Every structure is written in C-alpha cells, then in structure tokens.
Amino acid sequence: MDIAQTESEMAACVAGASGPVAIRGGGTRGLVLPGEVLTTSGLVGVQLYEPGALTLVASAGTPVAEIETLLAAENQQLAFEPMDHRALLGTSGAPTIGGVVAANVSGPRRIQAGACRDFMLGVRYVDGTGAVIKNGGRVMKNVTGYDLVRLMGGSWGTLGVLTQVSLKVLPRPQAQATLCVPDCDMAQAVKTMSVALGSPFEITGAAYVTDRAEVLLRIEGFSGSVAYRTGRLIDLLDRLGAVELRAEGAASGAIWKAIRDVEAFAGQPGDVWRVSIKPSDAPLIAPRLKADALLLDWGGGMIWARVPAGTDLRARIGQMSGHATLVRADPETRARLGMFHPQPAPLATISAGLRARFDPRGIFNTGLMDRHQPLGV
Amino acid sequence: MCPAVWPCLGHGGLSNPVIGNINLPKWGVNMDMPTPDARVLARKARIVACLQQVLPQDAVIHEVAETRAYECDALTAYRCAPMAVVLPACTQEVSEVLKICHREGVPVVPRGSGTSLAGGALPTEDCVILGVARMNAVLETDYDNRVIRVQSGRTNLSVTGAVEPEDFFYAPDPSSQLACAIAGNIAMNSGGAHCLKYGVTTNNLLGVTMVLMDGTVIEIGGAHLDAGGLDLLGLICGSEGQLGVVTEATLRILRKPEGARPVLMGFDDPEVAGACVSDIIRAGVLPVAIEFMDRLCIRTSDNFANAGYPDCEALLIVEVEGSEAEIDAQLAQIVDIARRHDPVELRESRSPEESARIWLGRKSAFGAIGQINDYMCLDGTIPVSELPMVLRRIGELGREFGLQVGNVFHAGDGNMHPLILFDANLPGDLEKCEALGAEILKLCVDAGGCLTGEHGVGIEKRDLMWHQYTPADLEAQMAVKDVFDPSWLLNPAKVFPLDASESRRGSKRAAELVGDARA
C-alpha cells in the first residue's frame, strides 16, 4: 500500500482496502496484526502551536520527540508524560503522537495532571468506510455533540485511522524534587503514598520500587514552591518513618523517566503486564501475581508485573475490580490470552456495536480489542 | 457559569408559549419539538398504571396540574408539560421504569435538577420525565483512594459538602452548583470557573452505574484511574442523557489547597487584557481561574453589588492557590506581567475580605444584568488568541441587531458567556435576540471554537450543529446513539438537528409501535 501523504490519500487507502489493515504509527509497540500495514508515517507536521493558549495541533504521524522539542523551547510539555515503549519491548522506530493518543499512553503524572485522554481537545480520523470525520476542536471546553475525541483515545485504531490530533499542553515545571521513604513493605508503601496524595502538596509522581522496598514521591513547580512543599511533606511523612530527599533537578527527572518507561524490566526475561486497580487493593492483589518483579506507579493504582513467559496473569488474579493488560509477550501468548481484559457482556456488546458502526467491514486492527468477536472480513 | 437566564420571562408577554407542533415566528432559529405521538398519548392510562406497579404511589406524577412543575428547565422560554413524571429512588427502579417505557415506545427525558440553560430537560407532551432528585445519597467516601461514590441526583455542591470535613473537595464547580445534580453535570460535561486547573466533569469522573433504555444495568470504570476497553465513560460524559440514565457515579476528590487569593486588574482596552492573559499563561503560571468582564458588565455589576470596580473597558480576576508564600510569589509574577500592559488598576487581595470583595461583582454579574433587563446567556468557546477579534465582532453584531451584549467569561480557557440584553415584553425581541445569539455562536465556530463549552446543545443550539459539523460528522455521533439506544427513545429530540435525526426517531418508533400493536 502506498504511504498516504495527506488525509485524503489516507481516506482513499482505507476506502480501497480489500481486506484487514494493520494501522501503524511508529511501530514501537511490537504488535503484529493481520493484514496490510497502513502507516501514518506520511502524515507529519505541527499545524498549530499557540503557547499562550496551551494548544497544539499535529498530524498523527508526527514523532513525539519532535513535539516535545518544540514544546520545550517554550518551556511547555505534554503533561501526561507518555512512556517510550522501545526499551521495554525491544522495538525500534519513533513513537508518534497518533500512536500515543490511540493507546492513551499516560505516565506517572497521570495521578495529578490526568491521562492522555484528559489532554485531548480534538481529532480527525478516517472511519472504516473511508469517510473523514472530525470531532472536538482546539478549545479547552467543548460539549458540542458527543465526545468522540475521548472515544478515539485508547481505541487502538479499532474505530478509525487518526489523521490529526489537538492537545492541551502545560507549562514545564521550573524545578522538581524526589523524596524517598525507604524500607516499606507494600502495605506501608501504599499507605504512605495515600497520605502524600491526600495532602495539599500536589504530588506529581508516587511509585513503589519493590526490589528496593522504597517509595518515591515527586514534587514539581516553581523552585521556591518545590522547596516549601518538599519540607512540608517531609514533616508530614516523618510520622510514618524516615524520609529523605533523594534527588533534585535532572537527577530527579531521570528517576521518573526510568519509572515511566519501566526500565527495570527492559532486557529482563518474561512477559510484562500492567494491572489497573484501586490503589488500596494493591497489597491484596500483588501477592496473587507471584511475579518475578513488580513496580507500582500511580500511588499503587498501576502495577507493572514481570512474570514467566506464557503466564495467564488474569487467571492468577481471579476476581478483581480493574483490568490487566498484556504489554509484552510472544505472539502465541498474545493470541492465546489477548492483550485486553475481557469485558462483561453488556459492555462487550456496546463495544462491538460501536466497532460495527465505525468500521462496518471490520478491517481495522482485527483481533486486537475484539478477539472474542467474529472477524468481519 | 450562569444562573437562571431570562429571569423576567414567565411574568411578561411570553409567559405561556406553547411548543410542540406550533411555530413561533423565528429568524431562522428553530426550537420546535416533534409532533407528540398520538398513539402514546392514547395509552397514557395504561402506561401510568404500569409505572405505578413498579414505583411507590408518590413517585409517579401524572395529573396535569402536577406535571406542569416539570414543564421546563432553566431555558424557561420553552415549556411543555410531560405526559408523566417518575421519581425513582434507586438503580433497580430506574431499570423497571425504562423497561416499561421501552416496551411501550414512550420517549424518556432524564432530568437532574432542571438547571439546563439549553433545554436539555425540556419535555415533549408524549414523554415521561425521569427525575433523579430522590437518588441523592452518598454511597461511599474513600479518602485513601481519593474517590466518592454518590447517587446521581446528589447536587454538585453537596458532594463537596460530604468530604469537606476532611478538607477534600470535588473540583468541577458550575455556578449552578448549589442546585445542579451530578447526573446533569455528567450529561453536559459541566465545567466551572476553576476548570483551567482542575478540568471539567469528564476529567473527574472515574466510574458510573448506568441504565440503558431497555433496562440493562451497566457498570463502567470504578475507583481505578483508567476504565478498561473503549473509553465509554468519556463518551457518556456530555451525551445529554441520550445514551443512558446514570444512577451512580464514582468521582475523584482532591485535597483542598492551603489557600487561594485573587488579583484584580483593569485595562483600557479588551485586546490588552487578552494579551495579558496570554502572557500569564506563557510565563508558566497556571492560575485556577482567569475571569474577564467588559465595560457593560463591570458597570452593571458594580452598580448592583458595589464591589468598587474601576471604570474601565476590561477587567480580569486572576486567582492562584497554594500556601501564603506560594500565593505571594505567583501573584508577584502575575502583577509583574500585568504592569507591562499598563493597567488602570491592580488590586492584589491580602485577606479573605478583600478576596470576597474582588469576587463579589463577578459573582453577581448575571443577577445584576438580570436586574436591568431580560437576557440570554451564550456559551461559545474560542481559541484565546481570537479574543480581540471576537469581542470586536460581537460589538458590531450587537449594533447591527440593535441589541446590547455584555461579556463575562472564563478567559483562561476561552469559554465566552456573551449576555444579550432584550425585552421579553417587546414583540419580536426574543426572536431577534435568538437570531443574534445564533450569529455570535457561528462567529465562535468560525474563529476556530465551538457552539458550547459547558451548557450543552439541548434544543437551543441543535440547528447550529450544521455550522460546526458535516453530515458525516453528525452521522458518526448519531451512530453512537444507535448503539446505546437503537429505538431512539432517550431524550430523542435534543442535540441533533431535527431533520438530521428524523429518520431514526420516526421510522424506528413507528416500527416498534406496529410491533407493539400486533402483540
């Protein structure tokens, strides 16, 4: 298939498709899907960036790095801190903004700033019939009709091919610091993070590194404010045990990049899962995983687990409120277990209904989110 | 951010306009509702009897004199008493009601507290109003996980009220928050003055229990931060009660900041005020609120509330949060930026009393305008950079139509609230006002913005959807409703232009009724 250089070429590619298509941004997720590859790599460029309005509009295939460089020049950033999957998954290529949006990729700052979907202002996409659809726009508040913007975020290309996204951006904090609470077991760790997150001091990262048994907390903002809040937080947490200032500035940044990208699991054997739960459930659910390695982010609400290849982690968890996503595994395991948690019947019916409307021929990323549904082609 | 509009309507010449299939003269703004279904009306007694079997006696209202209490929401110019009103107390009762209405082919209009400014809860003669007011319990407060679970009829402010003793709050703060229900907040994806920092409803909603039109109860999300699968939660937020009836909601709660204080700034030129807003944001400060008022609103609200506002063209109120020292540092930075724009006044609050005084005029702006005139409050949103052009053009349009327009809005996020002054007792003035409103909203769209930032489309902006969306765009949205509510019975005549949704509403309803008659 030719590489579409414009939205209308993309629409023509979709309309002319005679079978399944595998939509690909930078190809950094290591997914192998049936059908011809449809890449967004020809759809690049930033159409609009207004620092004074905190707004950015870019073509879906634009590399994230290019956007981050542009924002950094104005002391701004993508506040949802999207992870770079390459080290963890052993992939190459360049992550694209469309790929980030399609997978709703959100890093440690999700607990305070929000997820990728919370920063989405508008989308343009090509649906399964080849029609170009727009929804939302480039303004911060918009209830004009249904919110298909968020629906497209995290839909993994199963509802349409994103061609353009509008995002809200935020100021890049002037300073940051990382506090460490050492020697915590998991229950203590989740309690400590809960106390910190329930304080007025605006924690922007709360992780538990299990192999070192330490809680890490990030504070960001203007330097005077960071110093003040760091001091107050140390006072607050001192009641629960020792607290130390672990790092500031770039060194603190490096700690959170490692957590964001789950660097500890890169190059290590086994499958990688990400389990989204209520934070206080972490001490109950983590032991059931019997994982080789764990990393808790989002104050305990996100468990990264490394387990022996082929493990059915969902079976190990059993009943849960939340969901488990298979992030890294060989194709056989992926095919057997599916990437996404099965949904209860009424939700699965709605999801299947939406897919049937947005992609009536069932050609987009087949088997990815709809593995329990018959393929349409 | 506005309380009741058109406060004088109901006492003036338009006190009893009849809607339904009767056309009021219009300047191209169509607020008609579909012709009520005679076959549904003919079966009223049977339908009411069915509802009475699943609900307590006092939860089914069907006497004409009593249903009139539900004839409108805060878009009071349009009224129509519903066929019946039900006030269920729990998810199960909602499910039973919807099963009956689904089976009988009766349209259902969900209603929170009826504070919609867009006619979102406007009934039709053949509909059942499903009010959630009796479902107002707090089901669970969980400070460790920073969530609260409530029934959807609970008012916005009382959600914060439930967690305030522990110094927590629920962030979205629409100005109707004393009265408006969480159900309506979800339906309209409500915002408020503080959403520049905290986001709108969709950013603070983690889970719902919702009943589909056929009575199926579904659960989406929960206390975890990202619901699995497709983002159905995002889809439901802002769907104006057309996809399902939300009965319970899990909401994110936040710890209150240590403090907050505003600074007031006056400028001789609205464009300069706009540039100042942009510079503040570019400097990396993220205020919790940036509010803008123009001369008409400054003078009117100052006369009304005696807030001591300066006599100038544009006024900004910028509020920041944190500890005393953090607030001082941020305000110093903001004041520094403002000085570069030659303000005619700079008044930094030093105490709660001074803060209250700065906010006083802004908070009474709508009431103050209401004292001098009837008004219509618009809700278009524009890119902040287009502010000067849009303000200038609104002034020109106002002169063309011979109506005054005041501007109060959330400047940080571009959510405008132009207030068009008119005289409800003057024949034709309401129509002229609506026509001007439509032109202003089209202007917002043409400037790169949208028709509505937080009030919703309802019936008010239905036809203007053609200005923002192509037929394919609208088809994609209506396809979503097809999935959730295939028979198009939930709040069917809202959001989409009637001509766009007609085939769905008409034929499917008819087919269903034929099926029903055969059975």
Side-chain angles (χ1 to χ4, degrees), chain A residues 198-218:
Chain A
S199 78
F201 308 123
E202 291 198 355
I203 308 301
T204 66
Y208 176 55
V209 183
T210 50
D211 55 348
R212 287 200 299 250
E214 58 188 27
V215 168
L216 298 172
L217 299 166
R218 178 174 61 182

PDB file of all heavy atoms in Angstrom, chain A residues 198-218:
ATOM      1  N   GLY A 198      -3.013  12.530  49.502  1.00  0.00           N
ATOM      2  CA  GLY A 198      -4.127  13.178  50.164  1.00  0.00           C
ATOM      3  C   GLY A 198      -3.726  14.480  50.844  1.00  0.00           C
ATOM      4  O   GLY A 198      -4.524  15.089  51.540  1.00  0.00           O
ATOM      5  N   SER A 199      -2.487  14.899  50.637  1.00  0.00           N
ATOM      6  CA  SER A 199      -2.010  16.167  51.206  1.00  0.00           C
ATOM      7  C   SER A 199      -2.234  17.284  50.193  1.00  0.00           C
ATOM      8  O   SER A 199      -2.492  17.015  49.029  1.00  0.00           O
ATOM      9  CB  SER A 199      -0.520  16.059  51.515  1.00  0.00           C
ATOM     10  OG  SER A 199       0.240  16.192  50.315  1.00  0.00           O
ATOM     11  N   PRO A 200      -2.148  18.538  50.643  1.00  0.00           N
ATOM     12  CA  PRO A 200      -2.326  19.631  49.676  1.00  0.00           C
ATOM     13  C   PRO A 200      -1.058  19.930  48.874  1.00  0.00           C
ATOM     14  O   PRO A 200      -0.996  20.974  48.231  1.00  0.00           O
ATOM     15  CB  PRO A 200      -2.692  20.832  50.561  1.00  0.00           C
ATOM     16  CG  PRO A 200      -2.527  20.422  51.962  1.00  0.00           C
ATOM     17  CD  PRO A 200      -1.997  19.030  52.015  1.00  0.00           C
ATOM     18  N   PHE A 201      -0.051  19.061  48.889  1.00  0.00           N
ATOM     19  CA  PHE A 201       1.251  19.450  48.333  1.00  0.00           C
ATOM     20  C   PHE A 201       1.489  19.003  46.898  1.00  0.00           C
ATOM     21  O   PHE A 201       2.600  19.001  46.405  1.00  0.00           O
ATOM     22  CB  PHE A 201       2.365  18.985  49.286  1.00  0.00           C
ATOM     23  CG  PHE A 201       2.125  19.454  50.694  1.00  0.00           C
ATOM     24  CD1 PHE A 201       2.051  18.560  51.757  1.00  0.00           C
ATOM     25  CD2 PHE A 201       1.910  20.808  50.954  1.00  0.00           C
ATOM     26  CE1 PHE A 201       1.786  19.005  53.051  1.00  0.00           C
ATOM     27  CE2 PHE A 201       1.643  21.265  52.252  1.00  0.00           C
ATOM     28  CZ  PHE A 201       1.574  20.347  53.300  1.00  0.00           C
ATOM     29  N   GLU A 202       0.444  18.597  46.233  1.00  0.00           N
ATOM     30  CA  GLU A 202       0.470  18.326  44.796  1.00  0.00           C
ATOM     31  C   GLU A 202       1.613  17.415  44.349  1.00  0.00           C
ATOM     32  O   GLU A 202       2.547  17.830  43.668  1.00  0.00           O
ATOM     33  CB  GLU A 202       0.487  19.640  44.003  1.00  0.00           C
ATOM     34  CG  GLU A 202      -0.826  20.357  44.141  1.00  0.00           C
ATOM     35  CD  GLU A 202      -1.050  21.415  43.067  1.00  0.00           C
ATOM     36  OE1 GLU A 202      -0.150  21.659  42.256  1.00  0.00           O
ATOM     37  OE2 GLU A 202      -2.146  21.988  43.066  1.00  0.00           O
ATOM     38  N   ILE A 203       1.480  16.157  44.735  1.00  0.00           N
ATOM     39  CA  ILE A 203       2.434  15.133  44.332  1.00  0.00           C
ATOM     40  C   ILE A 203       2.193  14.804  42.860  1.00  0.00           C
ATOM     41  O   ILE A 203       1.063  14.519  42.462  1.00  0.00           O
ATOM     42  CB  ILE A 203       2.211  13.849  45.162  1.00  0.00           C
ATOM     43  CG1 ILE A 203       2.191  14.171  46.653  1.00  0.00           C
ATOM     44  CG2 ILE A 203       3.246  12.784  44.819  1.00  0.00           C
ATOM     45  CD1 ILE A 203       3.430  14.804  47.163  1.00  0.00           C
ATOM     46  N   THR A 204       3.249  14.808  42.050  1.00  0.00           N
ATOM     47  CA  THR A 204       3.056  14.511  40.621  1.00  0.00           C
ATOM     48  C   THR A 204       3.633  13.149  40.232  1.00  0.00           C
ATOM     49  O   THR A 204       3.619  12.787  39.064  1.00  0.00           O
ATOM     50  CB  THR A 204       3.687  15.585  39.725  1.00  0.00           C
ATOM     51  OG1 THR A 204       5.110  15.535  39.898  1.00  0.00           O
ATOM     52  CG2 THR A 204       3.183  16.967  40.081  1.00  0.00           C
ATOM     53  N   GLY A 205       4.125  12.409  41.217  1.00  0.00           N
ATOM     54  CA  GLY A 205       4.583  11.050  40.958  1.00  0.00           C
ATOM     55  C   GLY A 205       4.595  10.302  42.283  1.00  0.00           C
ATOM     56  O   GLY A 205       5.039  10.865  43.296  1.00  0.00           O
ATOM     57  N   ALA A 206       4.054   9.083  42.303  1.00  0.00           N
ATOM     58  CA  ALA A 206       4.054   8.278  43.533  1.00  0.00           C
ATOM     59  C   ALA A 206       4.241   6.831  43.130  1.00  0.00           C
ATOM     60  O   ALA A 206       3.323   6.195  42.634  1.00  0.00           O
ATOM     61  CB  ALA A 206       2.745   8.467  44.305  1.00  0.00           C
ATOM     62  N   ALA A 207       5.456   6.333  43.332  1.00  0.00           N
ATOM     63  CA  ALA A 207       5.779   4.977  42.884  1.00  0.00           C
ATOM     64  C   ALA A 207       6.411   4.182  44.018  1.00  0.00           C
ATOM     65  O   ALA A 207       6.969   4.749  44.965  1.00  0.00           O
ATOM     66  CB  ALA A 207       6.734   5.034  41.690  1.00  0.00           C
ATOM     67  N   TYR A 208       6.323   2.859  43.907  1.00  0.00           N
ATOM     68  CA  TYR A 208       6.942   1.957  44.890  1.00  0.00           C
ATOM     69  C   TYR A 208       7.825   0.978  44.130  1.00  0.00           C
ATOM     70  O   TYR A 208       7.344   0.209  43.297  1.00  0.00           O
ATOM     71  CB  TYR A 208       5.851   1.216  45.661  1.00  0.00           C
ATOM     72  CG  TYR A 208       6.361   0.184  46.640  1.00  0.00           C
ATOM     73  CD1 TYR A 208       7.280   0.533  47.639  1.00  0.00           C
ATOM     74  CD2 TYR A 208       5.916  -1.134  46.584  1.00  0.00           C
ATOM     75  CE1 TYR A 208       7.737  -0.411  48.551  1.00  0.00           C
ATOM     76  CE2 TYR A 208       6.358  -2.089  47.493  1.00  0.00           C
ATOM     77  CZ  TYR A 208       7.273  -1.713  48.473  1.00  0.00           C
ATOM     78  OH  TYR A 208       7.723  -2.660  49.374  1.00  0.00           O
ATOM     79  N   VAL A 209       9.112   1.071  44.414  1.00  0.00           N
ATOM     80  CA  VAL A 209      10.076   0.185  43.760  1.00  0.00           C
ATOM     81  C   VAL A 209      10.252  -1.010  44.686  1.00  0.00           C
ATOM     82  O   VAL A 209      10.905  -0.910  45.728  1.00  0.00           O
ATOM     83  CB  VAL A 209      11.416   0.918  43.522  1.00  0.00           C
ATOM     84  CG1 VAL A 209      12.391   0.025  42.765  1.00  0.00           C
ATOM     85  CG2 VAL A 209      11.180   2.213  42.763  1.00  0.00           C
ATOM     86  N   THR A 210       9.629  -2.140  44.326  1.00  0.00           N
ATOM     87  CA  THR A 210       9.531  -3.250  45.280  1.00  0.00           C
ATOM     88  C   THR A 210      10.878  -3.875  45.629  1.00  0.00           C
ATOM     89  O   THR A 210      11.113  -4.216  46.775  1.00  0.00           O
ATOM     90  CB  THR A 210       8.608  -4.361  44.729  1.00  0.00           C
ATOM     91  OG1 THR A 210       9.013  -4.671  43.406  1.00  0.00           O
ATOM     92  CG2 THR A 210       7.172  -3.923  44.741  1.00  0.00           C
ATOM     93  N   ASP A 211      11.764  -4.009  44.628  1.00  0.00           N
ATOM     94  CA  ASP A 211      13.014  -4.709  44.952  1.00  0.00           C
ATOM     95  C   ASP A 211      13.886  -3.901  45.910  1.00  0.00           C
ATOM     96  O   ASP A 211      14.699  -4.455  46.630  1.00  0.00           O
ATOM     97  CB  ASP A 211      13.783  -5.107  43.681  1.00  0.00           C
ATOM     98  CG  ASP A 211      14.052  -3.924  42.770  1.00  0.00           C
ATOM     99  OD1 ASP A 211      13.445  -2.861  43.006  1.00  0.00           O
ATOM    100  OD2 ASP A 211      14.861  -4.060  41.831  1.00  0.00           O
ATOM    101  N   ARG A 212      13.691  -2.588  45.942  1.00  0.00           N
ATOM    102  CA  ARG A 212      14.441  -1.786  46.914  1.00  0.00           C
ATOM    103  C   ARG A 212      13.570  -1.379  48.094  1.00  0.00           C
ATOM    104  O   ARG A 212      14.007  -0.680  48.986  1.00  0.00           O
ATOM    105  CB  ARG A 212      15.021  -0.541  46.230  1.00  0.00           C
ATOM    106  CG  ARG A 212      16.204  -0.881  45.297  1.00  0.00           C
ATOM    107  CD  ARG A 212      17.040   0.347  45.038  1.00  0.00           C
ATOM    108  NE  ARG A 212      16.231   1.380  44.379  1.00  0.00           N
ATOM    109  CZ  ARG A 212      16.400   1.735  43.106  1.00  0.00           C
ATOM    110  NH1 ARG A 212      17.340   1.194  42.383  1.00  0.00           N
ATOM    111  NH2 ARG A 212      15.648   2.660  42.572  1.00  0.00           N
ATOM    112  N   ALA A 213      12.311  -1.797  48.029  1.00  0.00           N
ATOM    113  CA  ALA A 213      11.356  -1.524  49.118  1.00  0.00           C
ATOM    114  C   ALA A 213      11.276  -0.044  49.465  1.00  0.00           C
ATOM    115  O   ALA A 213      11.205   0.340  50.628  1.00  0.00           O
ATOM    116  CB  ALA A 213      11.713  -2.354  50.358  1.00  0.00           C
ATOM    117  N   GLU A 214      11.320   0.801  48.413  1.00  0.00           N
ATOM    118  CA  GLU A 214      11.234   2.231  48.717  1.00  0.00           C
ATOM    119  C   GLU A 214      10.139   2.940  47.925  1.00  0.00           C
ATOM    120  O   GLU A 214       9.872   2.605  46.769  1.00  0.00           O
ATOM    121  CB  GLU A 214      12.594   2.916  48.517  1.00  0.00           C
ATOM    122  CG  GLU A 214      13.166   2.779  47.132  1.00  0.00           C
ATOM    123  CD  GLU A 214      14.610   3.299  47.041  1.00  0.00           C
ATOM    124  OE1 GLU A 214      15.331   3.285  48.068  1.00  0.00           O
ATOM    125  OE2 GLU A 214      15.015   3.710  45.953  1.00  0.00           O
ATOM    126  N   VAL A 215       9.527   3.899  48.605  1.00  0.00           N
ATOM    127  CA  VAL A 215       8.521   4.745  47.980  1.00  0.00           C
ATOM    128  C   VAL A 215       9.199   5.989  47.442  1.00  0.00           C
ATOM    129  O   VAL A 215      10.038   6.594  48.126  1.00  0.00           O
ATOM    130  CB  VAL A 215       7.434   5.152  49.006  1.00  0.00           C
ATOM    131  CG1 VAL A 215       6.546   6.260  48.443  1.00  0.00           C
ATOM    132  CG2 VAL A 215       6.591   3.952  49.398  1.00  0.00           C
ATOM    133  N   LEU A 216       8.868   6.371  46.216  1.00  0.00           N
ATOM    134  CA  LEU A 216       9.400   7.593  45.619  1.00  0.00           C
ATOM    135  C   LEU A 216       8.246   8.559  45.357  1.00  0.00           C
ATOM    136  O   LEU A 216       7.204   8.157  44.852  1.00  0.00           O
ATOM    137  CB  LEU A 216      10.126   7.269  44.308  1.00  0.00           C
ATOM    138  CG  LEU A 216      11.340   6.338  44.442  1.00  0.00           C
ATOM    139  CD1 LEU A 216      11.856   5.925  43.062  1.00  0.00           C
ATOM    140  CD2 LEU A 216      12.446   7.004  45.249  1.00  0.00           C
ATOM    141  N   LEU A 217       8.462   9.809  45.731  1.00  0.00           N
ATOM    142  CA  LEU A 217       7.427  10.828  45.556  1.00  0.00           C
ATOM    143  C   LEU A 217       8.033  12.030  44.838  1.00  0.00           C
ATOM    144  O   LEU A 217       9.124  12.472  45.186  1.00  0.00           O
ATOM    145  CB  LEU A 217       6.896  11.281  46.919  1.00  0.00           C
ATOM    146  CG  LEU A 217       6.250  10.185  47.775  1.00  0.00           C
ATOM    147  CD1 LEU A 217       6.075  10.677  49.206  1.00  0.00           C
ATOM    148  CD2 LEU A 217       4.905   9.767  47.185  1.00  0.00           C
ATOM    149  N   ARG A 218       7.310  12.532  43.841  1.00  0.00           N
ATOM    150  CA  ARG A 218       7.838  13.667  43.073  1.00  0.00           C
ATOM    151  C   ARG A 218       7.018  14.926  43.339  1.00  0.00           C
ATOM    152  O   ARG A 218       5.792  14.881  43.389  1.00  0.00           O
ATOM    153  CB  ARG A 218       7.815  13.346  41.578  1.00  0.00           C
ATOM    154  CG  ARG A 218       8.312  14.515  40.707  1.00  0.00           C
ATOM    155  CD  ARG A 218       8.417  14.111  39.244  1.00  0.00           C
ATOM    156  NE  ARG A 218       7.122  13.716  38.699  1.00  0.00           N
ATOM    157  CZ  ARG A 218       6.947  13.288  37.440  1.00  0.00           C
ATOM    158  NH1 ARG A 218       7.982  13.187  36.625  1.00  0.00           N
ATOM    159  NH2 ARG A 218       5.746  12.950  37.025  1.00  0.00           N
TER     160      ARG A 218
END
